[in-house]
Amino acid sequence: MKPTRLLLGAASTLFVSQLMAGEAVFYVTEEGSAVQDLAVSVNGQKKLVGNAGFVVFDLPAGLHQVELSQYGEWWGEFPLELAAAKPNAEIMVEMIGGEAVSEVNQFGNDETAIGQISGYLSSQETGGNVSDAIISVEGSDVSVTTDNDGFFTLELPRGEYSLNVAHPNYGNRQVSDVRVMGGINTGLNLNLSMAGNGGIEEVVAVGSFMPTTTTSQERDSSAVLDAIGSEQLSRFGDSSAASALKRVAGVSVVGGQFAVVRGMQGRYISSTLNGSMMPSTDPMRRDVPLDLFPASVLGGIDIQKSFTPELPGDSTGGAIRMTTKGLPEESLTKISLSSGLNSRTTFSDVNGYEGGSADWMGIDDGTREHPSFADSLTKGGIDNPRFCESDPNCASAEDSVRLGNSFENIYNVDQIQAKPDKGFSVSTGDYFEADFGGHGYYAAFEYKDAWEARHDGQLDDASSKGTYERTKRKIDVAGYFVYGLDYGSSEYLSKTTLLRKTDDTIRTTSVEDEGKDQHLQSAILQWVERQYIGQQFSGTHYLTGLGEEDQLNWRLGVAQTSRYEPDRRAYTYGRTLGSDNPLRLLGGVERRFSDLTEDALDLGVDYSADMMLSDTLFLKLKTGVSYISKDREVELARYSNLNINDPAIDLSLTPEQIFSKNNIDSGSVKFRGSTAGTDNYSATDEMTAAYVSAELDLNTVSLVAGMRYEDFEQELKYPDNDSSASSLSESSVLPMLAATWRINEDMQLRASASQTVSRPGITERSESAQYDPDTDDLIQGNPNLEISDITNIDVRGEYYFSEDESLTLALFYKDVSDPIERSVIEGDGSAANGYTFANVNSAEIQGIEVDFRINVIDGSDFTGFWATNLSYIDSEVDLSGTDAERLEGDSSRELQGQSEYLANVQFGIDHFATGQSLTLLANYFDDRIYATSRGELAAEIEDGRATFDIVYRYDINESLVVKAKAQNITDSKVSYSRDDREIESYYEGSKYSASVEYIF
């Protein structure tokens, strides 16, 4: 060690004004390191030791009793006597063999003493030392430079200071609340990061600066960014990415799964996991269902709302960048058990039916499997063989019977009791230091079993009025493993992720349809398994090239998503209105088997270089190339029964009685295939991209310019209908320009302009008939869709009170040419209620976002914060002169899924001494279009509503944590309206959950 020292000759006069009369400063250490989470009590007044090991009391002269404890466990005690002539005291407490050994030094108000701060600066990226960094004392000309080994030493009068750390490659940072005690050497080790403006990632022993806060991420980003850290996910009790995103300014979530960012739905949003593009698990949508990603595997979520060249070109509304958890810093094993109930659902009677023996695992055991005989005989429902005995071109009557009996005779809906929610998770990890650097791992597994239902469901639309109930049992399974290797100046990561979400849904409806003059009762039984499995390898290398420490990043990701929906059953009973006759089966049943699989390959290389052109001029260059490929296969088979004309069969019986083995064996009930020629399809989606950007830092102003090139090709093929094949290709150059003006250390103004695109997804161009999982309405793609071009303008002003307090005001404007909108199908029958996709003339979106977070309580025992964000979004879609105008009956409207107003309010309070926290959460979204107008029928609106949650956490000790959450505590009604008249409503109930977490 060769520290550079600076002795202050005028020590008796420097910073004397900082010393407070009657101030007693305690510094508690054990084995040379500061002790955290320790409570110090003086005369019964308790305070928690801060992260740096210090705690301060204002004490009068006299005898005082000091006690130390941690999580209620007694650690030691000693008397403290303060003389009136020397009211200021510094108490050094060393824990030795379980006993508190104290050393007390007292000083008069004008008396000073010299102390020392020494430490070491290291790089988070390289793991090595940081030399030639300037550490200066704020408010003075005192400074010191770290030596070749990264060490430094400062000798200062006792007191409290703020230090500034500056380095060409790591920017400028401040470490506040640094204590110097007379005659004592205080260790200060800093871990610096080159991300942003050189955030200090770790402060060892001294200081309370926390640069990993989401506020710091947002401030240091070169784009408009909102960040959600793992701490926030835990604090707010969010179970998935979907539930977390709705708390971000300008973001809402539709259907509990899909994000709407600044009024723009999935086709305008890109989603990545660890930098790799995500394939979709939903055949009805191109965006990713975000409820698939549990908080247990997420390390954080960044929502970047302004485009930069390294992002995919369809990041118009925003880019949702999810990262999974990384390596732990030390050995860690955690087990958690959870349970919950719903005020309306749990222990009540809900819909159910006979399932399989492995339903509790979210895996069908074969009960719902597509019968192999039916598949081979009808070629997946495409062929409809004639059944007869004499014609050689006929299938035999025995085959007809065998076809009917190949389907499980399970149709009846029963009432069963909903059980309490339950779940568990386990995680473990460790990191091992080595001569070459180090390596580590982290593994996690989670299982959840939950019930939900729509209660008191009411329908009253057009000529149809009645009730319905929907019950859903949800089984979630997540597995995750990461292995990392730090070797010299390189880092390697392997991340394996398995996510499964199974929904077992039963919907029953009873309506009186005056238009059809019938009382109708229908049922739908639906089992859906969604799965994501991905493997990613990535590396980071720190090189000497254009700059002193260039960075090369590469990634290779392979992933597969699937949506398996075996044996969806639907049937309807009916009778004439006003009739006393029993309800009779109408037509018959449909049994549907579908399987979607999408494979994705993501390759990418990025290179960045930081260069100091002069003392005040900094240049950052970035470039990269990527290749993304998606291959989708959709297999869909439909079967239905022929009309039952045998008068001996009573159609008022249950489906299981009607479709009994006896009726099939007698030939009275027959099944046939009903698969359409475009139901099965394959598709490929490929994109090759390259980008370059340059960021020039002119001290108080940063300028960013760049562009992205993308070559895109998409092809759809139908194995049962070659004439319907279609393709779409385009090359795009997408420029951007941004600037940030740092008005002072706390305020900055940023602005950007960019060009992006919106390409139709495979789903939107596929002619395969799909059905909405909630309404069973037909959804059919349009192969003639065109690519949309978008111009984006963003402005945001930011004011940072501290490292976790801020106020931001954002304005945005977007102009979309040829936007793709979900529109009405022209047709009758079942198509009359269906939807398709079409390009319309244009759309404009503009809005304002206000977001602030402040600390409202800052005491020695309690801290509290208040955070609020408000958004106003206005949009107009021009339909004039298009088929959409003719079919919808309007020349313009808002974007679908866009709310005019969005709001979030959060209030949290922490009690340090007992390790308890309480957080109150409120979320509001305004009215939004759920389905467009249809001729004379106005648009269907999902009515705005507010929900309120409470989250509680109690850290009993360092090993045991108890959590509890109450969601939707007001049980707000979910409703939909048309022309201000309620057409559908239901209640979901309030949810209450608790968990116990044990950390080894």
Side-chain angles (χ1 to χ4, degrees):
M1 180 190 303
K2 297 180 181 179
T4 301
R5 300 192 176 196
L6 179 63
L7 182 62
L8 304 180
S12 62
T13 59
L14 185 60
F15 301 117
V16 171
S17 60
Q18 297 182 57
L19 304 179
M20 300 178 59
E23 183 183 75
V25 181
F26 292 81
Y27 182 40
V28 187
T29 62
E30 185 176 29
E31 296 181 355
S33 300
V35 178
Q36 300 180 13
D37 302 324
L38 188 75
V40 178
S41 297
V42 181
N43 303 330
Q45 180 187 3
K46 180 185 292 185
K47 292 185 179 182
L48 194 67
V49 170
N51 292 336
F54 291 101
V55 66
V56 181
F57 289 83
D58 291 330
L59 301 177
L63 183 63
H64 307 277
Q65 184 66 21
V66 180
E67 296 183 0
L68 308 177
S69 62
Q70 189 176 54
Y71 303 116
E73 180 183 354
W74 183 86
W75 268 44
E77 60 181 336
F78 59 89
L80 172 64
E81 186 169 3
L82 301 179
K86 294 186 176 183
N88 300 304
E90 293 177 346
I91 303 97
M92 177 73 178
V93 182
E94 176 72 12
M95 302 302 301
I96 301 175
E99 295 186 8
V101 179
S102 62
E103 178 181 344
V104 181
N105 293 311
Q106 292 186 247
F107 307 93
N109 288 333
D110 297 327
E111 190 175 356
T112 187
I114 299 298
Q116 183 174 276
I117 301 174
S118 64
Y120 171 79
L121 267 61
S122 62
S123 169
Q124 184 192 17
E125 285 81 2
T126 67
N129 62 70
V130 177
S131 60
D132 298 322
I134 299 174
I135 302 175
S136 58
V137 180
E138 187 172 302
S140 78
D141 57 355
V142 177
S143 65
V144 66
T145 301
T146 56
D147 65 10
N148 294 333
D149 297 318
F151 291 101
F152 71 94
T153 297
L154 279 169
E155 294 186 353
L156 297 168
R158 65 185 184 85
E160 189 175 61
Y161 301 88
S162 291
L163 303 182
N164 294 316
V165 182
H167 189 277
N169 293 333
Y170 295 87
N172 302 303
R173 276 304 186 197
Q174 183 185 75
V175 185
S176 57
D177 303 328
V178 179
R179 280 275 176 182
V180 175
M181 299 179 68
I184 293 176
N185 177 52
T186 303
L188 176 63
N189 296 335
L190 307 178
N191 188 252
L192 304 179
S193 169
M194 288 186 290
N197 193 24
I200 297 174
E201 296 300 329
E202 180 185 6
V203 178
V204 180
V206 173
S208 58
F209 179 61
M210 296 182 62
T212 54
T213 63
T214 56
T215 304
S216 296
Q217 289 179 255
E218 295 165 10
R219 180 183 64 185
D220 295 338
S221 171
S222 59
V224 176
L225 179 75
D226 290 307
I228 303 172
S230 57
E231 296 84 1
Q232 183 174 322
L233 288 169
S234 176
R235 170 147 206 148
F236 292 169
D238 293 318
S239 59
S240 68
S243 57
L245 281 170
K246 68 182 181 182
R247 310 196 190 284
V248 176
V251 180
S252 60
V253 175
V254 174
Q257 295 178 299
F258 302 102
V260 179
V261 181
R262 291 182 163 178
M264 311 190 82
Q265 295 205 66
R267 70 178 62 88
Y268 301 103
I269 302 170
S270 66
S271 298
T272 59
L273 183 68
N274 299 320
S276 295
M277 290 293 293
M278 291 289 301
S280 181
T281 61
D282 195 316
M284 271 70 75
R285 304 179 67 105
R286 60 160 291 177
D287 48 338
V288 179
L290 296 170
D291 63 330
L292 191 62
F293 303 95
S296 60
V297 303
L298 288 176
I301 308 172
D302 290 343
I303 304 92
Q304 185 171 321
K305 297 177 181 176
S306 61
F307 175 71
T308 50
E310 68 271 17
L311 295 179
D314 54 3
S315 307
T316 300
I320 300 174
R321 301 182 303 180
M322 295 175 285
T323 57
T324 53
K325 291 186 176 179
L327 301 177
E329 296 180 354
E330 57 186 3
S331 178
L332 174 70
T333 299
K334 181 168 63 176
I335 296 176
S336 176
L337 300 175
S338 63
S339 184
L341 57 85
N342 183 289
S343 61
R344 291 178 178 266
T345 304
T346 308
F347 302 124
S348 68
D349 290 336
V350 296
N351 288 332
Y353 67 99
E354 182 183 347
S357 60
D359 285 5
W360 65 274
M361 292 190 294
I363 301 173
D364 178 57
D365 64 354
T367 301
R368 305 171 181 86
E369 186 179 18
H370 188 187
S372 58
F373 179 78
D375 187 20
S376 61
L377 180 68
T378 66
K379 294 182 180 179
I382 290 289
D383 292 346
N384 287 303
R386 292 186 302 123
F387 299 101
C388 58
E389 296 295 341
S390 57
D391 193 330
N393 295 320
C394 290
S396 67
E398 288 79 6
D399 284 344
S400 173
V401 172
R402 189 178 174 189
L403 173 64
N405 284 324
S406 68
F407 301 105
E408 292 283 348
N409 187 25
I410 301 175
Y411 299 94
N412 294 352
V413 177
D414 305 313
Q415 291 292 293
I416 61 175
Q417 187 183 77
K419 303 298 191 294
D421 299 345
K422 55 183 177 291
F424 73 91
S425 66
V426 59
S427 61
T428 184
D430 203 351
Y431 187 84
F432 310 96
E433 294 184 355
D435 293 340
F436 57 80
H439 64 105
Y441 71 92
Y442 176 79
F445 178 83
E446 180 180 64
Y447 169 86
K448 288 184 178 180
D449 181 357
W451 294 73
E452 66 179 36
R454 295 180 177 180
H455 298 270
D456 300 332
Q458 300 291 322
L459 298 170
D460 186 5
D461 190 19
S463 60
S464 181
K465 183 176 182 179
T467 62
Y468 80 97
E469 179 181 334
R470 192 190 77 170
T471 301
K472 182 182 291 187
R473 185 183 182 187
K474 303 190 299 182
I475 307 295
D476 297 349
V477 176
Y480 176 66
F481 179 77
V482 56
Y483 176 79
L485 173 66
D486 296 332
Y487 191 87
S489 59
S490 298
E491 300 171 0
Y492 304 90
L493 283 174
S494 168
K495 293 185 174 182
T496 307
T497 307
L498 170 65
L499 307 173
R500 286 185 55 87
K501 181 175 277 290
T502 300
D503 295 333
D504 189 7
T505 306
I506 310 102
R507 178 183 171 116
T508 56
T509 306
S510 177
V511 298
E512 294 186 353
D513 193 327
E514 294 180 358
K516 298 179 179 179
D517 191 31
Q518 286 186 317
H519 177 199
L520 303 173
Q521 288 187 359
S522 60
I524 298 175
L525 283 61
Q526 183 184 41
W527 173 277
V528 177
E529 298 177 23
R530 290 181 286 149
Q531 177 175 287
Y532 167 87
I533 182 168
Q535 173 64 57
Q536 186 187 65
F537 300 99
S538 62
T540 301
H541 308 274
Y542 301 95
L543 313 169
T544 300
L546 298 176
E548 291 187 6
E549 286 191 350
D550 295 2
Q551 187 169 322
L552 174 68
N553 296 284
W554 58 268
R555 67 180 183 277
L556 165 62
V558 291
Q560 182 185 83
T561 56
S562 61
R563 184 184 186 273
Y564 178 52
E565 183 184 13
D567 206 4
R568 181 186 187 275
R569 285 147 280 180
Y571 56 88
T572 301
Y573 281 68
R575 67 185 174 200
T576 303
L577 286 178
S579 170
D580 293 331
N581 294 328
L583 293 163
R584 294 168 57 85
L585 180 68
L586 301 180
V589 299
E590 183 195 56
R591 305 188 76 142
R592 188 187 309 162
F593 303 83
S594 67
D595 193 359
L596 176 151
T597 303
E598 187 165 301
D599 296 313
L601 171 66
D602 187 300
L603 304 172
V605 178
D606 302 278
Y607 190 88
S608 63
D610 298 342
M611 293 173 283
M612 290 294 297
L613 304 182
S614 70
D615 292 341
T616 59
L617 198 59
F618 174 84
L619 177 64
K620 183 170 187 175
L621 298 177
K622 294 178 67 176
T623 186
V625 294
S626 64
Y627 171 78
I628 300 169
S629 170
K630 297 179 182 179
D631 294 298
R632 175 182 289 192
E633 293 284 343
V634 173
E635 297 179 355
L636 179 62
R638 308 175 196 269
Y639 301 89
S640 58
N641 62 284
L642 298 172
N643 287 333
I644 302 174
N645 298 315
D646 188 343
I649 297 181
D650 184 359
L651 296 181
S652 67
L653 297 175
T654 68
E656 292 181 11
Q657 292 173 313
I658 295 173
F659 296 98
S660 67
K661 186 177 186 304
N662 289 336
N663 289 338
I664 292 175
D665 290 345
S666 68
S668 298
V669 174
K670 297 180 179 180
F671 278 84
R672 65 181 180 89
S674 54
T675 306
T678 55
D679 280 345
N680 296 289
Y681 70 90
S682 63
T684 59
D685 194 312
E686 292 185 336
M687 185 175 68
T688 304
Y691 76 90
V692 61
S693 69
E695 180 177 356
L696 185 63
D697 193 331
L698 304 168
N699 196 9
T700 60
V701 175
S702 295
L703 301 175
V704 182
M707 66 174 56
R708 181 180 182 88
Y709 170 80
E710 292 185 341
D711 183 70
F712 168 81
E713 184 174 1
Q714 184 185 94
E715 186 175 9
L716 282 86
K717 296 180 180 180
Y718 303 88
D720 304 311
N721 189 344
D722 292 338
S723 62
S724 295
S726 65
S727 62
L728 177 67
S729 61
E730 185 189 67
S731 297
S732 304
V733 176
L734 307 172
M736 64 80 59
L737 179 66
T740 301
W741 175 30
R742 290 179 290 276
I743 303 170
N744 54 43
E745 290 186 358
D746 301 324
M747 297 180 64
Q748 61 186 26
L749 178 67
R750 64 173 86 237
S752 69
S754 62
Q755 187 80 28
T756 54
V757 295
S758 176
R759 303 182 181 93
I762 294 173
T763 296
E764 295 167 337
R765 292 187 60 247
S766 167
E767 295 186 63
S768 176
Q770 306 290 338
Y771 292 85
D772 187 288
D774 289 328
T775 64
D776 207 38
D777 291 336
L778 173 67
I779 299 177
Q780 191 149 11
N782 176 3
N784 300 315
L785 290 176
E786 298 177 356
I787 295 173
S788 307
D789 295 315
I790 304 102
T791 300
N792 310 278
I793 298 176
D794 291 274
V795 178
R796 187 161 88 166
E798 303 167 358
Y799 176 48
Y800 296 93
F801 308 98
S802 68
E803 292 302 328
D804 57 0
E805 296 177 288
S806 63
L807 169 65
T808 65
L809 173 64
L811 308 175
F812 62 89
Y813 171 81
K814 301 178 185 295
D815 186 359
V816 187
S817 64
D818 303 316
I820 301 169
E821 283 286 287
R822 194 171 80 159
S823 188
V824 177
I825 289 180
E826 187 170 14
D828 52 19
S830 62
N833 293 323
Y835 292 90
T836 187
F837 303 92
N839 290 103
V840 296
N841 293 329
S842 63
E844 290 186 336
I845 307 100
Q846 54 197 348
I848 303 173
E849 297 170 350
V850 179
D851 193 350
F852 73 85
R853 185 190 191 280
I854 58 174
N855 295 329
V856 293
I857 303 174
D858 190 13
S860 58
D861 292 327
F862 287 93
T863 63
F865 72 90
W866 172 32
T868 295
N869 59 66
L870 304 169
S871 303
Y872 167 77
I873 304 170
D874 177 60
S875 69
E876 183 176 12
V877 182
D878 181 10
L879 309 176
S880 59
T882 65
D883 287 341
E885 179 187 30
R886 177 174 56 85
L887 295 171
E888 295 183 28
D890 289 316
S891 61
S892 65
R893 56 167 168 77
E894 295 177 337
L895 283 168
Q896 297 173 58
Q898 174 243 313
S899 296
E900 187 173 15
Y901 295 99
L902 299 170
N904 282 285
V905 178
Q906 296 123 24
F907 177 76
I909 187 169
D910 293 82
H911 186 230
F912 289 135
T914 59
Q916 298 182 82
S917 67
L918 185 69
T919 309
L920 309 179
L921 306 167
N923 171 262
Y924 172 77
F925 69 86
D926 202 8
D927 298 349
R928 57 194 181 197
I929 296 177
Y930 178 76
T932 58
S933 57
R934 191 184 299 274
E936 296 181 356
L937 279 178
E940 184 176 346
I941 304 298
E942 182 178 4
D943 299 327
R945 64 182 179 273
T947 55
F948 301 89
D949 304 338
I950 300 176
V951 183
Y952 170 76
R953 176 181 175 126
Y954 180 22
D955 290 73
I956 299 175
N957 54 46
E958 61 183 9
S959 299
L960 187 61
V961 180
V962 175
K963 301 177 183 178
K965 184 174 183 179
Q967 297 174 265
N968 191 26
I969 56 178
T970 60
D971 193 11
S972 57
K973 180 171 68 174
V974 180
S975 63
Y976 299 81
S977 62
R978 197 189 305 276
D979 281 334
D980 296 324
R981 188 177 71 86
E982 190 175 283
I983 61 173
E984 180 182 353
S985 66
Y986 59 88
Y987 292 89
E988 296 178 308
S990 302
K991 299 178 182 179
Y992 304 94
S993 60
S995 66
V996 177
E997 187 177 281
Y998 189 81
I999 304 170
F1000 295 91

